[in-house]
Amino acid sequence: MEKQYSKLEVRELDNSSLLVCKVNDYGVSKELRGKNGAFREVVPKETWQKAINENVKFYYNHKPYFELAEKVELRAEEDGVYLYATLKDSEKGLYDAVKDGLITGMSFGFRALKDSFKQVGNYLERTIEDMELFEVSILDKEPAYNNTMVEARELYIPVDLEIKRKRLELLRR
């Protein structure tokens, strides 16, 4: 299984913890090492669209000991692939680590079904044309793709606009 990396954001919704993670930005990876030498890698949007499925698991550092989320959704959007994961209640420590900046990246585990190589400048570039996607992982180590970033944000979503107005009136008194 191969592993690749990328971006992360945190939101709190009521009593649950939602992670919004940029798994891949369709860009070229850092230099990777394979059995045939060094290369860089790219996974196009079309490949992601074919590979995304409802059976993808969400792990910590590619360790399949237990799943981290109650609900996982992957989307191939214009600027990259996003993971929307509602963490299990038992993962409060992980959520806090993301908020504190201790968890800094994302990765994905896959099997290449079809790929191609071409020379680009002074490096070899591998394009994954078709893949079987097994899992995405949150990481506490350096990811293979550039522009990896973690942001922690708290998002307040008012349940009722009238409640919000009443709170504002009370604050003004």
Side-chain angles (χ1 to χ4, degrees):
M1 177 173 19
E2 301 177 50
K3 302 169 186 173
Q4 298 306 324
Y5 307 86
S6 213
K7 290 189 186 184
L8 189 55
E9 180 179 315
V10 178
R11 295 188 178 132
E12 290 181 36
L13 301 173
D14 298 328
N15 293 326
S16 62
S17 302
L18 175 68
L19 294 181
V20 179
C21 313
K22 192 168 194 179
V23 178
N24 185 268
D25 65 0
Y26 313 128
V28 178
S29 71
K30 297 174 185 173
E31 186 173 283
L32 305 173
R33 297 264 173 213
K35 58 185 171 190
N36 297 323
F39 63 95
R40 294 187 183 192
E41 185 172 79
V42 65
V43 183
K45 181 180 180 181
E46 299 76 23
T47 302
W48 281 102
Q49 288 171 324
K50 289 189 295 185
I52 290 173
N53 67 79
E54 60 189 38
N55 298 317
V56 174
K57 306 296 183 195
F58 183 43
Y59 298 137
Y60 179 76
N61 287 335
H62 300 288
K63 306 285 191 229
Y65 306 128
F66 56 91
E67 293 183 53
L68 302 173
E70 294 173 3
K71 182 180 174 189
V72 174
E73 181 184 356
L74 280 169
R75 296 183 202 158
E77 298 181 6
E78 287 306 311
D79 64 333
V81 177
Y82 288 84
L83 168 78
Y84 298 84
T86 304
L87 293 178
K88 293 181 178 179
D89 291 339
S90 61
E91 300 307 322
K92 177 78 171 119
L94 174 65
Y95 182 80
D96 290 341
V98 171
K99 283 178 61 176
D100 293 342
L102 301 173
I103 304 296
T104 59
M106 291 296 298
S107 176
F108 54 98
F110 70 99
R111 181 169 59 97
L113 302 174
K114 183 178 179 187
D115 59 4
S116 61
F117 289 86
K118 68 180 178 182
Q119 194 68 36
V120 177
N122 61 354
Y123 68 90
L124 193 60
E125 182 178 285
R126 177 188 190 201
T127 299
I128 306 297
E129 297 170 14
D130 194 11
M131 69 179 179
E132 184 178 6
L133 182 62
F134 301 110
E135 54 94 8
V136 292
S137 284
I138 192 166
L139 302 173
D140 63 2
K141 52 185 132 192
E142 184 179 351
Y145 279 83
N146 293 314
N147 303 318
T148 297
M149 183 177 78
V150 177
E151 294 179 355
R153 295 183 181 176
E154 294 180 19
L155 181 65
Y156 173 71
I157 300 175
V159 177
D160 181 19
L161 218 43
E162 188 58 35
I163 292 173
K164 189 174 180 180
R165 283 190 193 113
K166 287 182 180 183
R167 285 182 182 161
L168 187 57
E169 285 175 21
L170 290 171
L171 288 172
R172 289 182 178 165
R173 290 183 186 176

